[in-house]
Amino acid sequence: YSNDDAILINQDLQTHSDGEQKMSQLSAAVLSFDADASEIAKRMGKSALPELESLMQHADSAVRTETINVLAELALPEAYKLILQATNDQDQNVVSAAVYQIEMHRDWFSTPLLIKVMQNLSEPNALKRIILLLGTRLNVAESAIIEPYCKPEQDRIVTLGCLAALAKMGVTQRRE
């Protein structure tokens, strides 16, 4: 979307209340990839969530990716949920952006939640990144959780990530 699109959206606001205008300003900022989108969302707080959730359904994967970045800036549990849902997106760039935010804000996400994300991921690079993150959290006794991802039939990048995660956990020997 161009800045002209953002201007048109803002023109449509003249008949709406201030609350609606703030939400539309948020959409305009996200749709035009404006760096102020995060600040607008932060000022709106939880009231930004319905609009951001709607933007996560946008046909343009770049808009969904930008929305993930804005959601991460909100630092709200409801925003984390939307980021987690984005790991199931059909576009690997959107999935990658969601995984990046999970990595950057790893303290927001519990180990059981990360295990669930790992089990649902199909994109090899994203899967490897979540496995590596789990390798910093799990202990040797929990290594069976990621063992299936170390099998030769897995994508090579996933297998290598799994082996690195096992090494981080302290697994020194592995049965084939």
Side-chain angles (χ1 to χ4, degrees):
Y1 289 89
S2 68
N3 283 335
D4 291 338
D5 293 328
I7 291 168
L8 288 173
I9 291 169
N10 283 326
Q11 287 172 347
D12 289 342
L13 300 172
Q14 293 175 356
T15 60
H16 300 305
S17 71
D18 281 346
E20 290 172 348
Q21 184 172 4
K22 283 181 187 172
M23 291 186 75
S24 294
Q25 285 175 346
L26 175 59
S27 279
V30 171
L31 292 170
S32 63
F33 305 98
D34 186 332
D36 290 336
S38 292
E39 290 306 315
I40 294 167
K42 284 185 206 176
R43 282 194 303 272
M44 291 174 66
K46 283 187 177 190
S47 67
L49 289 168
E51 189 165 358
L52 292 171
E53 184 171 12
S54 177
L55 287 167
M56 286 302 300
Q57 306 306 313
H58 198 278
D60 186 345
S61 63
V63 170
R64 295 193 307 275
T65 299
E66 179 66 13
T67 304
I68 290 167
N69 297 331
V70 172
L71 284 164
E73 293 294 320
L74 280 178
L76 295 170
E78 297 89 343
Y80 313 154
K81 179 182 174 192
L82 294 172
I83 292 170
L84 287 170
Q85 288 173 354
T87 62
N88 296 319
D89 197 278
Q90 295 301 310
D91 187 279
Q92 77 178 37
N93 292 319
V94 175
V95 173
S96 182
V99 170
Y100 174 78
Q101 293 301 341
I102 290 169
E103 289 170 323
M104 292 299 101
H105 305 285
R106 62 189 71 202
D107 294 341
W108 295 348
F109 304 98
S110 69
T111 300
L113 200 50
L114 290 177
I115 292 168
K116 190 171 191 166
V117 168
M118 175 189 68
Q119 292 167 339
N120 291 323
L121 277 173
S122 59
E123 200 282 311
N125 190 49
L127 181 56
K128 174 202 72 166
R129 291 162 58 196
I130 293 295
I131 290 169
L132 286 170
L133 183 55
L134 284 167
T136 66
R137 293 191 177 187
L138 300 174
N139 60 48
V140 175
E142 298 168 310
S143 65
I145 294 168
I146 63 170
E147 280 277 344
Y149 300 94
C150 293
K151 298 196 183 297
E153 59 268 15
Q154 290 287 341
D155 188 288
R156 183 166 169 75
I157 196 166
V158 173
T159 303
L160 292 174
C162 180
L163 293 172
L166 288 174
K168 282 183 185 181
M169 294 164 50
V171 175
T172 55
Q173 292 184 345
R174 200 177 145 268
R175 287 179 286 167
E176 208 36 63

